[in-house]
Amino acid sequence: NGPIEGINRMIKQIQRTAFGFRNYHHLVSRIKLQQMRTKPNKKTELEVA
């Protein structure tokens, strides 16, 4: 439940701060970009370990 709640919170924060989006697709692309930014890279995790 923890990771899903984190994603829901991130989406709600984007919706609050980005109420000026004209298009729903712009909002969805912003959410996807934010997820890619916050998602850890498995390659770097393996290099650190």
Side-chain angles (χ1 to χ4, degrees):
N1 284 341
I4 293 175
E5 289 296 323
I7 292 171
N8 287 341
R9 181 171 181 220
M10 180 196 63
I11 291 171
K12 287 180 182 182
Q13 285 178 342
I14 291 173
Q15 286 177 341
R16 268 186 254 128
T17 59
F19 60 89
F21 280 128
R22 295 181 184 187
N23 194 334
Y24 175 75
H25 295 290
H26 293 165
L27 177 65
V28 171
S29 63
R30 174 66 179 183
I31 291 169
K32 289 179 182 179
L33 283 172
Q34 188 68 27
Q35 280 183 324
M36 288 188 331
R37 236 175 98 196
T38 57
K39 194 174 186 181
N41 190 357
K42 291 185 181 209
K43 191 177 225 183
T44 57
E45 286 179 359
L46 293 175
E47 291 173 358
V48 172

